[in-house]
Amino acid sequence: MKFNRKEFLQDVERILHADFKTDLKSADKKELYNAVSKAVMLEAYPDWETSRAADKRRCGYFSAEFLMGRAIFNNLMNLGILEEVKGALASVGEDLGQFEEVEDAALGNGGLGRLAACYLEAAASKNLPLDGYGIRYRYGLFRQVFEDGYQKEEGDDWLRWGDPWSVRVERDACIVRFSDMDILAVPYDMPIFGYKNGVVNTLRLWSSEPVRAFDFDLFDTMKGDTKAVDNFNATKICDVLYPNDNTMVGKLLRLRQQYFMVSASLQDIVKKFKAAGRDIRTLPEKYCFQLNDTHPVLAIPELIRILRCEGLSFDEAFDVARRTFNFTNHTIMAEALERWDVLALSDLLPSVYEQILGCQERLEREGLDRDRFFIVRDGTVHMANLAIFVSSKVNGVAEIHTNILKTETFRNWYERYPEKFVNITNGITPRRWLLLNNPALAKVIDSKIGEGWHTDLKQLADLRPFVDEILPDFKRIKGENKQKLAAYIKEREGVEIPSHFIFDIQIKRLHEYKRQLLNALSILHFYFGVKEGSIQNFPPTAFIFGAKAAPGYYMAKAVIKFINEIAKLVNGDAEVSKVMRVVFVQDYDVSYAEKLVCAADASEQISTAGMEASGTGNMKFMLNGTVTLGTMDGANVEICEEAGRENNYIFGATVDEVNAVKHGYNPWDIINRTPELRRLLDTLVNGTFSDERGMLRRLYESITGGHEPDRYLVCYDFADYIRVKEELLRDYGSDAFYKKSLLNLCAAGKFSADRSVRDYSDLIWHIG
Ligand code: 26W
């Protein structure tokens, strides 16, 4: 994008006057942020129009979550004007860095939402016509604070700073009908800028509003309709993002959200398709839709319903749907698979439910065995089965995950439709996750191999011959990043971390299968060892955590409390704190992640094998030159394939072992012969830590009792974890260790989101 400092500042000045009745001299931070962003939007508008107008086959990425993070720096970078804008602002005495305070757009929970954001950016950067469709939640993922070590949730008023990167497109508003009310859906379009290529795709987020009779010829549309227009609850639908990650909650409001988003999106697309004079039967030639897990799967019966209103028979409509939709699965955890109650669904959306029944009938007509294949059974609608049956392609998100889908989770379906199943290993955008968050390291790489890797990450392999040469720079930059992170943590959390410590980091949603508890127990093990002298010369280490627990997830909240108690114990111990620190950062989000992944010495990826579909944090650490301390799970397996197992620290049961030991597993067999482990577990119940709410006791019971004790094999993997973690900490500091770290960076090419979207396009979308 061309940039003219004088004109840019004039635009900013004009916007400040028009929108805020102020000027550059007296504008506050928020006013300036809005004016700067809008000035950039004005400049980018022509490219947006051109990209939109191109008559290309497109893919719609339907997702209930888009975890975009902060837009301004990424947008300026991708437009190629980051330095220019910084300079322009500096010339009037303003610092671009002040916008670090602007709220993150956290319209997502974790991996699945952040993946959607990376894919939109990558597709634009690769000139692939991919548009996102989702919900404009009024409040994003809750903000987290700790009180006395307990998680407390607060509302995330992300619009507090304004939303200058969105455009409200009132002319595209439409009505979404539920049995009990009609809702107005108004789209807000966000530009998705490709990296320095002039491409601008769109993220369209729908906002719910009361229907206003004067906007639409309601007297016409409502003719013969006896149902009242209920405006009262209308805005509520999009009020808040459900904070559950991996557990299905059968809440009616969530069902409304899901239908609201897919109905509005499809109405809009079909309307424009028809307006262009096309035959609706040819929709699959022009469009395909990717269903990001089951959350948007109601799109399938909704499209069939719309097509039937257009005069197609069920079978005609079904065939169009089958050629249009594709489905990504992101988890094999049984509690996450979405199922809806037939009564609730048929009550709220009778004509949509009718199409679901049609799909079930069709399934039977195709001769599929009722016992092995079903969409509706025992009063429940199985959304994943609906998605698989009607989609062209079904994909998992890492090799190991796709194999589990084929052989276990969806085995029946795979046997019947082997050609539907494909693997697309996840990827991350190297723009946000290296260029933007670690500019110093990026510069060093540029100086050796040029800038081609920015959009062709495999070129990082060309860095290998230079590894020895850049080792000093790499060390220095890592040290500087650690200093910056330590200062930030001091400011935000009030905890001091000496920057020469090893930074061992685990950041991800809090879930039992991710085993933050295993990490916590290892820290306690080191603490006692150092304190009592059984561990000598412990390498100074800071154990850093970041994670939000779903507000209703009791065990996850208990783990947070436990870690915060351990932190208090360790950091408060005058002797031990010389070589150990523990900090659980509050309100971990995308912007915090950017600061953490470039400052890590060890990346903790320690899920029970078979349970983490892929993981993408693991890739972010790797790309910033960090070794993985992990299990053979998700994309860790492929990270080892690419970077060499010898350059990472792998421990624990493999998937096969997990399957073998799970039957008849009794953690007491291990606890009884491991007094050290027993002692650590005892701290949960023996008064070592304050536990006025009895949370730690429940944690103890989840490991030692109940009908499935230690479901996630914490005890089983404990000894091996300690062994390998000690090895890592002892290796730290040597040239050999830094070399391992850097070799991981050189091997990160496969994990670019550019490669992932290319794979999606070649195998599924065929959009360019
Ligand atoms: C119905 C409640 C619910 C909400 C969200 C169930 C499941 C989810 C997501 C599927 C959870 C999720 O984010 N999964 C993560 O997806 C990432 C991107 O593919 C993977 O890297 C992670 O391994 C996976 O946990």
Side-chain angles (χ1 to χ4, degrees):
M1 185 170 150
K2 285 198 302 307
F3 185 85
N4 179 308
R5 179 181 290 189
K6 201 167 142 233
E7 282 172 23
F8 173 75
L9 288 172
Q10 277 169 359
D11 280 346
V12 170
E13 200 63 272
R14 258 200 300 273
I15 295 166
L16 283 172
H17 280 291
D19 287 9
F20 303 105
K21 248 179 135 177
T22 185
D23 57 24
L24 265 170
K25 263 193 215 70
S26 39
D28 66 20
K29 205 176 279 189
K30 175 173 165 177
E31 290 161 346
L32 192 63
Y33 163 66
N34 278 277
V36 166
S37 305
K38 282 189 174 166
V40 174
M41 285 282 270
L42 277 178
E43 282 302 309
Y45 192 72
D47 279 347
W48 200 359
E49 284 300 280
T50 319
S51 298
R52 207 201 311 257
D55 186 38
K56 288 184 182 169
R57 176 178 161 79
R58 307 189 76 85
C59 176
Y61 198 87
F62 285 12
S63 179
E65 304 186 10
F66 288 92
L67 188 44
M68 301 301 285
R70 198 167 285 137
I72 185 163
F73 303 119
N74 186 254
N75 285 351
L76 295 178
M77 180 181 69
N78 279 17
L79 290 166
I81 57 171
L82 186 61
E83 290 310 315
E84 287 78 354
V85 170
K86 195 187 272 176
L89 288 177
S91 75
V92 293
E94 295 285 354
D95 172 20
L96 182 68
Q98 66 183 291
F99 301 141
E100 291 247 353
E101 267 176 53
V102 173
E103 240 74 10
D104 271 36
L107 308 185
N109 272 289
L112 158 143
R114 184 53 232 175
L115 189 78
C118 279
Y119 283 0
L120 292 184
E121 194 275 347
S125 296
K126 290 280 131 188
N127 194 13
L128 295 172
L130 178 74
D131 298 313
Y133 291 88
I135 300 174
R136 189 173 192 261
Y137 300 104
R138 177 62 189 81
Y139 296 93
L141 185 61
F142 67 87
R143 302 193 56 149
Q144 176 196 55
V145 290
F146 295 149
E147 269 184 27
D148 199 19
Y150 295 105
Q151 168 175 295
K152 252 193 63 182
E153 301 90 25
E154 292 174 353
D156 170 48
D157 184 9
W158 71 286
L159 292 171
R160 209 163 52 102
W161 281 78
D163 183 19
W165 297 101
S166 292
V167 181
R168 181 180 165 95
V169 190
E170 197 124 2
R171 62 157 65 231
D172 284 350
C174 60
I175 292 176
V176 175
R177 302 195 140 197
F178 296 92
S179 60
D180 59 349
M181 61 174 128
D182 290 357
I183 307 288
L184 187 66
V186 184
Y188 285 73
D189 284 358
M190 226 178 252
I192 306 292
F193 301 113
Y195 181 64
K196 297 181 181 174
N197 65 355
V199 173
V200 190
N201 287 340
T202 302
L203 169 58
R204 170 159 278 199
L205 299 178
W206 296 95
S207 178
S208 60
E209 295 184 13
V211 174
R212 293 156 306 191
F214 50 84
D215 271 357
F216 294 86
D217 219 337
L218 264 194
F219 300 108
D220 269 358
T221 50
M222 303 290 290
K223 213 171 275 171
D225 192 338
T226 52
K227 146 179 73 74
V229 178
D230 182 352
N231 286 341
F232 183 68
N233 275 321
T235 48
K236 248 187 141 167
I237 288 195
C238 297
D239 257 8
V240 52
L241 166 77
Y242 274 91
N244 304 70
D245 182 84
N246 262 293
T247 24
M248 155 81 184
V249 283
K251 286 277 193 301
L252 212 58
L253 184 60
R254 186 167 165 100
L255 190 61
R256 283 191 199 272
Q257 290 185 340
Q258 296 185 347
Y259 181 66
F260 173 76
M261 118 182 132
V262 298
S263 177
S265 305
L266 289 170
Q267 283 187 52
D268 183 51
I269 290 163
V270 168
K271 184 170 70 194
K272 286 178 183 154
F273 192 78
K274 280 169 60 188
R278 296 173 190 273
D279 176 356
I280 199 67
R281 288 175 175 80
T282 66
L283 187 76
E285 291 165 23
K286 196 81 200 330
Y287 278 102
C288 63
F289 303 124
Q290 192 67 35
L291 302 171
N292 201 23
D293 217 278
T294 51
H295 320 149
V297 165
L298 282 174
I300 291 173
E302 173 64 0
L303 179 62
I304 295 175
R305 187 194 67 80
I306 292 173
L307 294 175
R308 294 194 70 187
C309 293
E310 296 292 328
L312 275 67
S313 71
F314 178 87
D315 282 333
E316 285 174 321
F318 180 91
D319 290 333
V320 169
R322 199 174 239 182
R323 288 192 289 139
T324 313
F325 287 107
N326 305 287
F327 168 58
T328 307
N329 170 279
H330 293 267
T331 178
I332 58 149
M333 305 292 290
E335 62 265 40
L337 292 182
E338 283 197 305
R339 294 169 185 145
W340 292 103
D341 185 58
V342 161
L343 287 179
L345 208 157
S346 59
D347 226 41
L348 190 68
L349 303 163
S351 47
V352 173
Y353 181 65
E354 211 178 289
Q355 314 313 321
I356 294 177
L357 279 183
C359 293
Q360 169 70 31
E361 270 166 36
R362 166 90 183 219
L363 183 153
E364 289 165 20
R365 268 192 286 136
E366 287 189 10
L368 274 66
D369 170 9
R370 266 168 170 277
D371 292 329
R372 297 171 68 211
F373 303 94
F374 50 86
I375 292 165
V376 186
R377 194 168 83 172
D378 300 334
T380 308
V381 183
H382 297 254
M383 302 308 279
N385 292 351
L386 174 60
I388 298 169
F389 182 59
V390 188
S391 288
S392 293
K393 296 283 181 203
V394 176
N395 78 284
V397 292
E399 294 285 357
I400 191 175
H401 169 61
T402 302
N403 286 334
I404 293 172
L405 292 183
K406 289 178 179 176
T407 56
E408 292 172 41
T409 323
F410 301 138
R411 184 174 157 184
N412 289 338
W413 292 100
Y414 176 62
E415 281 170 6
R416 176 67 183 75
Y417 301 107
E419 72 291 345
K420 277 198 191 194
F421 286 76
V422 294
N423 173 253
I424 310 231
T425 298
N426 282 167
I428 57 169
T429 168
R431 270 74 64 183
R432 185 179 288 265
W433 298 109
L434 185 50
L435 273 174
L436 194 63
N437 76 321
N438 203 347
L441 186 55
K443 270 223 182 69
V444 171
I445 302 171
D446 286 349
S447 76
K448 292 299 166 206
I449 61 169
E451 298 185 0
W453 63 274
H454 297 184
T455 50
D456 177 14
L457 203 62
K458 285 262 168 164
Q459 289 184 27
L460 286 180
D462 300 341
L463 204 60
R464 289 182 70 126
F466 300 102
V467 161
D468 288 318
E469 204 180 312
I470 63 175
L471 215 54
D473 281 331
F474 177 66
K475 283 188 204 175
R476 174 181 50 79
I477 291 163
K478 182 82 86 182
E480 287 164 5
N481 291 342
K482 286 166 72 172
Q483 267 172 26
K484 277 188 215 150
L485 176 64
Y488 189 71
I489 287 178
K490 173 85 183 89
E491 179 194 319
R492 279 204 31 177
E493 323 297 338
V495 177
E496 197 107 37
I497 303 176
S499 62
H500 67 275
F501 276 34
I502 304 171
F503 281 18
D504 175 301
I505 306 187
Q506 186 173 21
I507 41 173
K508 48 185 77 251
R509 279 301 287 262
L510 217 139
H511 201 291
E512 285 162 287
Y513 84 80
K514 295 178 188 281
R515 297 199 298 192
Q516 282 93 350
L517 177 60
L518 178 59
N519 190 348
L521 291 172
S522 81
I523 296 168
L524 206 51
H525 162 80
F526 294 138
Y527 170 79
F528 286 131
V530 171
K531 179 107 187 139
E532 292 158 8
S534 60
I535 298 179
Q536 298 283 312
N537 303 318
F538 187 73
T541 307
F543 300 94
I544 303 170
F545 293 85
K548 288 180 183 176
Y553 190 172
Y554 187 92
M555 281 313 162
K557 290 181 136 177
V559 172
I560 291 181
K561 172 66 174 169
F562 185 41
I563 294 170
N564 278 327
E565 286 297 315
I566 295 174
K568 207 159 66 180
L569 178 72
V570 172
N571 301 344
D573 187 304
E575 277 308 305
V576 179
S577 65
K578 287 180 185 154
V579 291
M580 283 180 74
R581 298 291 162 94
V582 181
V583 57
F584 205 131
V585 306
Q586 296 169 83
D587 203 38
Y588 168 63
D589 61 4
V590 172
S591 294
Y592 222 139
E594 291 169 15
K595 297 179 164 67
L596 287 156
V597 294
C598 65
D601 298 308
S603 153
E604 298 258 2
Q605 310 298 338
I606 60 176
S607 51
T608 318
M611 298 202 176
E612 189 70 272
S614 161
T616 44
N618 46 2
M619 302 168 184
K620 290 160 198 167
F621 284 108
M622 180 193 201
L623 183 59
N624 282 269
T626 313
V627 297
T628 296
L629 169 55
T631 47
M632 271 300 176
D633 198 16
N636 297 354
V637 177
E638 288 159 79
I639 286 177
C640 285
E641 260 167 42
E642 298 295 306
R645 191 173 162 139
E646 69 283 3
N647 291 317
N648 288 289
Y649 293 83
I650 302 303
F651 72 95
T654 60
V655 170
D656 289 341
E657 259 177 280
V658 168
N659 288 333
V661 297
K662 259 200 134 170
H663 308 282
Y665 172 65
N666 182 359
W668 279 104
D669 297 341
I670 298 164
I671 300 168
N672 284 329
R673 65 178 143 81
T674 322
E676 172 61 16
L677 177 58
R678 177 175 205 147
R679 177 205 192 174
L680 300 176
L681 292 172
D682 281 346
T683 65
L684 290 164
V685 288
N686 67 8
T688 305
F689 303 114
S690 76
D691 185 30
E692 55 286 295
R693 298 190 198 171
M695 274 187 137
L696 303 188
R697 175 167 297 276
R698 291 266 303 268
L699 208 50
Y700 178 82
E701 284 159 6
S702 81
I703 299 291
T704 58
H707 81 115
E708 205 185 348
D710 192 18
R711 242 185 104 178
Y712 301 99
L713 304 188
V714 169
C715 296
Y716 189 86
D717 277 345
F718 178 77
D720 205 31
Y721 178 53
I722 297 286
R723 180 182 67 76
V724 174
K725 193 165 184 169
E726 272 177 345
E727 191 182 315
L728 185 157
L729 298 180
R730 299 283 173 199
D731 284 358
Y732 176 80
S734 64
D735 273 2
F737 183 85
Y738 281 107
K739 222 165 149 170
K740 282 184 183 183
S741 312
L742 205 42
L743 284 172
N744 271 281
L745 184 156
C746 297
K750 175 176 181 183
F751 305 105
S752 172
D754 298 347
R755 189 270 312 148
S756 304
V757 295
R758 186 75 254 165
D759 285 355
Y760 273 99
S761 181
D762 291 346
L763 297 173
I764 304 178
W765 303 335
H766 310 294
I767 53 171

